[in-house]
């Protein structure tokens, strides 16, 4: 009982978070930056922040994550980090020669009040940014928001690179939100099948799930290029997958460059994937081919085969708002019952959306934004569930309460391979359902009396 001190009785707390269901902003900014081709993320703060953010990403993606730091000392903490960042930009282009440096701030540089744009202007005037190279920046103070906010801020900075020519290029911008590199690959595959020419940004596929080739490339081939980002302002439309991670960038392109945007859910499950495919088809003016309908039919078939085992099973789920909203819809659509739902990221609209999705639930539903794992555990103690879904941190609750557990979301620190398998799209839905049923039936087998231990279900 590792969490044996978690009491069943719930006391409302306003000033303390216990076992947060989120992490800090720069991790999201760093992940998004890795989705730009030839980009070195740069942490404008102390070395400790950068080391933590890099290791968090490395532990999840099982790939080396390179990033540089302004290496604040006591002096920069008092007088500001401008000199450090100017020196860093010079050193990075001289030593590592990336195409792009994507700078994000930290708690310390934000508290001091460092102005990234003013520092970039100075670097440009001093000639430390070589011709043809790009430096962009995002504010990511970690005392507000979460890693999700940091991701969104960096994606917005990417959209800000748009340089419209005034002539539409026929492409559709797709902002995938915080999903796995394999999900980004799957979104590109689906778009290709539908015949939509898309610019996906960020795009970490090929960066954090690339092959082992025997050669080291500090900047892998994957990622959206700066030229593609510049072309975003000429697109015929933008699809933002997820309100928290992607909508700000899409709205920026809409208001600034008149690129019409639609905010959709991450395409988890049948309904959200249908909406994504339909939106792609509509914006790109194409026709959905038979191959896509075939994949859809396979998911419908699997749902109908498995439905008897899913019916009215109670689920606790936690994670990032865009992901949890889309997954809650998927679970409800197969007649499972999410009853405890938590995100650590702020945003009251999360609770509103979840309540809408679960309004016909036969069981009472607990939902909380800015919640924590401690509260989730207490809810489970009061109303046990059949399945727990979320990142690695849930393993303590799963063990103490003896609940089947599916690792999903970020971070997954204690398992391997997740970065190679998509959850989005019809194919992703197949894989996810296989995992859910596997977890439920493993438990059935484990608990079955000998006379009820079946070979065939
Ligand atoms: S919370 Fe702030 S100080 Fe701590 S690692 Fe994150 S950015 Fe650095």
């Amino acid at each position: 009982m590792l969490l044996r001190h978690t009491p069943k009785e719930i006391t409302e707390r306003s000033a303390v978070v216990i076992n947060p269901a989120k992490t800090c902003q720069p991790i999201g900014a760093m992940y998004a930056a890795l989705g730009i081709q030839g980009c070195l993320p740069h942490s404008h703060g102390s070395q400790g922040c950068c080391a933590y953010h890099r290791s968090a990403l490395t532990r999840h993606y099982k790939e080396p994550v390179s990033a540089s730091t302004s290496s604040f000392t006591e002096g920069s903490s008092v007088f500001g980090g401008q000199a450090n960042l100017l020196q860093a930009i010079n050193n990075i282009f001289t030593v590592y020669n990336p195409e792009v440096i994507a700078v994000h701030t930290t708690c310390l540089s934000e508290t001091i009040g460092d102005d990234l744009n003013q520092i970039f202007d100075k670097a440009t005037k001093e000639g430390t940014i070589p011709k043809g190279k790009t430096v962009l920046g995002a504010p990511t103070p970690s005392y507000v928001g979460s890693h999700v906010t940091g991701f969104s801020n960096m994606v917005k900075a990417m959209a800000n690179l748009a340089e419209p020519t005034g002539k539409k290029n026929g492409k559709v911008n797709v902002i995938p939100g915080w999903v796995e590199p394999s999900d980004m690959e799957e979104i590109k595959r689906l778009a290709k099948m539908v015949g939509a020419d898309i610019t996906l940004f960020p795009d970490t596929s090929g960066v954090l799930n690339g092959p082992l080739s025997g050669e080291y490339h500090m900047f892998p081939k994957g990622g959206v290029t700066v030229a593609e980002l510049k072309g975003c302002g000429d697109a015929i439309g933008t699809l933002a997958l997820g309100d928290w991670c992607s909508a700000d960038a899409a709205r920026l392109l809409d208001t600034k460059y008149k690129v019409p945007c639609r905010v959709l859910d991450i395409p988890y499950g049948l309904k959200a994937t249908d909406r994504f495919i339909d939106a792609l088809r509509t914006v790109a003016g194409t026709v959905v081919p038979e191959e896509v309908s075939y994949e859809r039919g396979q998911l419908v078939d699997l749902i109908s085969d498995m439905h008897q085992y899913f019916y009215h099973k109670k689920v606790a789920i936690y994670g990032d708002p865009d992901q949890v909203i889309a997954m809650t819809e998927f679970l409800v659509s197969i007649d499972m019952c999410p009853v405890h739902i938590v995100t650590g990221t702020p945003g009251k609209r999360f609770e509103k959306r979840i309540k809408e999705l679960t309004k016909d639930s036969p069981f009472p539903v607990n939902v909380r934004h800015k919640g924590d794992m401690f509260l989730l555990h207490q809810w489970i103690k009061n109303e046990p569930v059949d399945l727990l879904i979320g990142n690695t941190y849930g393993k303590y609750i799963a063990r103490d309460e003896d609940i089947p557990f599916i690792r999903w979301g970020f971070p997954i620190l204690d398992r391997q391979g997740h970065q190679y398998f998509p959850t989005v799209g019809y194919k992703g839905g197949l894989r996810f359902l296989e995992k859910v049923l596997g977890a439920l039936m493993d438990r059935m087998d484990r608990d079955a009396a000998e006379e009820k231990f079946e070979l065939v279900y």
Side-chain angles (χ1 to χ4, degrees), residues 165-182:
T165 60
K167 198 167 160 235
K168 292 289 178 198
N169 59 15
K171 295 184 83 172
V172 182
N173 301 321
V174 178
I175 310 178
W178 189 320
V179 289
E180 292 288 299
S182 49

Side-chain angles (χ1 to χ4, degrees), residues 24 26 49 52-53 106-107 142:
C24 81
C49 296
Y52 164 53
H53 305 146
T106 56
C107 298
S142 211

Side-chain angles (χ1 to χ4, degrees), residues 9 69 153 158 168 332 370 390 454:
E9 299 70 36
T69 166
N153 289 345
M158 291 161 71
K168 292 289 178 198
V332 169
K370 288 204 281 185
E454 298 287 353

Side-chain angles (χ1 to χ4, degrees), residues 402-404 440-449 453 457:
D402 195 20
I403 314 168
L440 293 176
M441 297 199 111
D442 282 350
R443 173 53 48 92
M444 243 166 83
D445 278 344
R446 192 199 76 176
D447 294 345
F453 189 63
Y457 285 114

Side-chain angles (χ1 to χ4, degrees), residues 72-82 84 108-109 111-114:
F72 277 29
T73 56
E74 292 86 340
S76 23
S77 305
V78 176
F79 300 113
Q82 173 172 289
N84 290 42
L108 182 52
S109 52
T111 305
I112 298 166
D114 278 354

